[in-house]
Amino acid sequence: MLQYKVAIVGAGPAGYFAAQALQNLQNEDRAFSIDMIERLPTPWGLVRSGVAPDHPKIKTVAKVFEKIAAEPNFRLFANVEIGSEITVAQLAAQYDAVIIATGSALGKKLGIPGEDLYGSMSAADFVPWYNAHPDFADLDVPLDCDTSVVIGAGNVAMDVARMLALEPSELDSTDTVDHAIAAFKKSSVRDVYISARRGPEHAAFTSPELRELPKLEHTNVIMARSDIEAAIARAGDAPEKDVKSNLDAMLLIADSQKTEHERTMHFLFQHTPKEILGTDRVEGIVYSTPSGDVTVKCGLVITAIGYQAESIEGVPYENGKVVNTDGRVKENMYVVGWAKRGPSGVIGTNKSDAAAVIELLVSDLKQPKDNGDISQLITNEQVIDQAAWQRINAAEVAAGEPLGKPRKKLIQFEDFLRAAAI
Ligand code: NAP
């Protein structure tokens, strides 16, 4: 029996699906010891810090992650940073394979004047702020304005716009972090514009997300029927299935009975951001449109226009991704998920993606190394292993229960350590 050691850097969906693929490829001749290493005190990546709190069903995939983690060949090393504390080269020397699964954490920039004004930020900061990511707890989100703008026509933009435009008490029964619920309750924002630079036929929203908009109980959703009709004409007689489904969903939104709620989401199409206005803070945004420049007055602009991978020393990057061929990076190094293919696809996309990379990895394997593992490199005494994470997880769920929440997320490092009992 050949016993191989594999290190997975990053405990998000792509990392777990890579571990699962390794587990599935064990046989009587070959076994894997899997060490998953995570910088944060908590695993699950975007399932914890990305998925919108009002989409709890999407988060049920965490049960799959915990099943993978419960296998005897899996160990979690959370609160351990690769790149600073321990280098990738050290891991590569010890393990038969190292898999980079660190996602894409940085928001892409528009590159227009005014983008750095106070009140202009990326969804890459705003989303983890409301999802209890410890690095973003102190983000200053100015919600003291009546209008905010979200740039981008993808599902992240949609999540951001919904969070800004929901009646905040709807968040009480979610796992939105307390500081964000408090801020949304004080928010003056009543109009949220979500702007696409192209027409509705090119929007990257997916239709289930569009179809839930008319069902919002406390938010008006405005889409101009003329925009959708023009898009249908441009899309022609045989649009792709997804485009047709999106356009049908948009027609339903445009035709929905008008409601008189306090909060409104407005969709703008063919609006290309040109300049963010303001002196000390955001005061508006200028768009170029087919009928000339248009200014929308607003106090908050959130860009949701895609992500780039954050680099780790010893790993090659290009165009916001790890340089790779089908997931192979270099000698015994592989990459999966958004760090590999860029920020696209839903959580499930990572399953087939990781499985394909793991097949290549397995085909590359030679004789197993006998060179120790990460436990010999760690000097930090506050490693959160699977058992400690389970104590944190149980504490969060228990704290949420009397409040009718799926969990009450911890955010302070000391609270994680206390709940982990280490
Ligand atoms: P996305 O789907 O790629 O959408 C990015 C949007 O940004 C596009 O509409 C793009 O427009 C626009 N954009 C890019 N550069 C721009 C610029 N310079 N100015 C104006 N607009 C610009 O990315 P995402 O929303 O970040 O989502 C990432 C992935 O996660 C997607 O696959 C998404 O479906 C998935 N996701 C899924 C869910 C869910 O299932 N509920 C939730 C969140 C995210 P162009 O097309 O014109 O370039």
Side-chain angles (χ1 to χ4, degrees):
M1 162 78 82
L2 297 174
Q3 181 73 46
Y4 293 102
K5 289 171 296 170
V6 179
I8 300 176
V9 183
Y16 279 102
F17 286 129
Q20 186 184 52
L22 285 165
Q23 289 171 345
N24 291 343
L25 287 178
Q26 297 194 108
N27 55 31
E28 55 276 12
D29 302 326
R30 168 175 77 209
F32 296 105
S33 307
I34 303 164
D35 287 346
M36 181 177 270
I37 306 150
E38 165 62 47
R39 179 175 74 84
L40 293 177
T42 53
W44 300 358
L46 277 187
V47 170
R48 182 177 172 98
S49 60
V51 172
D54 62 335
H55 281 166
K57 261 201 205 150
I58 298 179
K59 302 191 194 204
T60 56
V61 68
K63 288 200 185 114
V64 177
F65 302 162
E66 288 306 291
K67 224 172 140 210
I68 295 163
E71 290 293 317
N73 68 344
F74 181 100
R75 296 191 299 179
L76 175 69
F77 293 84
N79 194 31
V80 175
E81 184 158 8
I82 298 299
S84 59
E85 230 173 296
I86 295 164
T87 66
V88 172
Q90 284 176 304
L91 287 185
Q94 286 188 325
Y95 286 81
D96 296 295
V98 176
I99 302 172
I100 306 298
T102 45
S104 308
L106 305 174
K108 281 194 185 146
K109 299 279 257 179
L110 283 168
I112 60 171
E115 195 172 9
D116 295 326
L117 280 168
Y118 173 70
S120 159
M121 65 182 69
S122 168
D125 297 347
F126 180 68
V127 171
W129 169 74
Y130 63 63
N131 274 330
H133 190 305
D135 292 357
F136 298 91
D138 297 327
L139 186 74
D140 186 355
V141 183
L143 294 167
D144 56 344
C145 47
D146 55 16
T147 303
S148 73
V149 161
V150 183
I151 297 171
N155 286 334
V156 171
M158 181 90 91
D159 285 347
V160 165
R162 259 195 347 274
M163 289 300 285
L164 288 167
L166 284 177
E167 154 61 48
S169 61
E170 292 181 74
L171 299 174
D172 286 338
S173 59
T174 71
D175 62 7
T176 311
V177 71
D178 288 348
H179 64 232
I181 295 186
F184 287 130
K185 286 189 173 167
K186 277 199 277 173
S187 167
S188 305
V189 173
R190 294 295 176 268
D191 289 287
V192 179
Y193 288 85
I194 175 164
S195 70
R197 62 178 168 180
R198 297 192 283 161
E201 72 278 28
H202 298 294
F205 310 125
T206 48
S207 73
E209 279 61 35
L210 286 164
R211 282 174 203 278
E212 76 181 63
L213 292 180
K215 298 180 200 147
L216 293 180
E217 285 179 24
H218 303 284
T219 309
N220 314 310
V221 181
I222 311 278
M223 229 182 238
R225 194 171 215 285
S226 54
D227 284 346
I228 317 304
E229 281 169 351
I232 291 170
R234 287 192 298 266
D237 291 338
E240 276 178 35
K241 198 167 147 254
D242 290 350
V243 173
K244 169 146 186 12
S245 178
N246 265 8
L247 292 173
D248 288 348
M250 290 185 196
L251 268 186
L252 282 178
I253 296 170
D255 288 344
S256 291
Q257 230 176 346
K258 294 292 162 257
T259 47
E260 301 263 336
H261 303 301
E262 224 183 289
R263 294 171 173 78
T264 306
M265 249 169 101
H266 309 257
F267 283 79
L268 300 173
F269 292 102
Q270 296 184 301
H271 276 57
T272 303
K274 193 172 168 185
E275 183 181 358
I276 299 176
L277 304 173
T279 38
D280 299 327
R281 66 167 290 176
V282 170
E283 289 169 24
I285 175 162
V286 183
Y287 290 102
S288 52
T289 78
S291 44
D293 285 1
V294 168
T295 300
V296 176
K297 282 193 181 163
C298 61
L300 175 65
V301 172
I302 301 181
T303 45
I305 59 167
Y307 294 85
Q308 293 184 311
E310 202 164 351
S311 41
I312 300 176
E313 210 185 307
V315 181
Y317 290 85
E318 196 173 50
N319 298 327
K321 293 186 275 189
V322 173
V323 179
N324 74 92
T325 308
D326 300 329
R328 281 189 179 111
V329 181
K330 53 183 174 180
E331 173 77 29
N332 82 337
M333 188 183 291
Y334 300 83
V335 61
V336 292
W338 281 10
K340 168 186 173 242
R341 61 176 199 276
S344 68
V346 293
I347 289 165
T349 313
N350 294 300
K351 189 170 171 164
S352 48
D353 186 77
V357 176
I358 296 307
E359 267 190 38
L360 288 182
L361 180 157
V362 169
S363 72
D364 291 345
L365 286 171
K366 298 181 187 90
Q367 280 302 305
K369 282 185 184 161
D370 181 16
N371 203 13
D373 63 40
I374 189 166
S375 56
Q376 285 136 359
L377 301 175
I378 291 175
T379 48
N380 161 9
E381 286 173 4
Q382 293 163 331
V383 175
I384 293 175
D385 63 11
Q386 181 62 17
W389 156 240
Q390 281 170 342
R391 291 190 286 275
I392 294 174
N393 194 10
E396 287 191 340
V397 171
E401 208 179 351
L403 305 167
K405 297 173 187 283
R407 69 176 59 240
K408 187 169 152 68
K409 286 180 182 168
L410 298 175
I411 191 160
Q412 298 297 336
F413 191 62
E414 305 71 48
D415 293 337
F416 285 118
L417 294 184
R418 202 171 306 120
I422 54 173

